[in-house]
Amino acid sequence: MSKKKLVLTLGLGLTLFATAASAVFVGRGEYAAYYRNGELVGGESRDCDNNLSQWGEVTDDYDMGYWLCGI
């Protein structure tokens, strides 16, 4: 493998790992609230129809919750 291909492959792998490690997957009817130093800085949610909404920053400090669907 050439040096250029190796560098590109490693760079892509690190990028994918960093993205996956920083994002929380929210499923249908779930939400996540992201905090920094106790202050709400972002959020994401999927409503009961599976529509995704996101805003703000993603951090390692988060809480997850659930919407009541089908009641």
Side-chain angles (χ1 to χ4, degrees), residues 25-58:
F25 176 76
V26 291
R28 181 180 174 268
E30 296 180 333
Y31 66 87
Y34 299 103
Y35 300 94
R36 176 170 289 119
N37 298 325
E39 181 181 341
L40 181 65
V41 295
E44 64 181 313
S45 70
R46 286 192 187 267
D47 63 17
C48 295
D49 293 326
N50 209 26
N51 298 309
L52 178 64
S53 298
Q54 297 174 305
W55 66 273
E57 298 178 45
V58 174

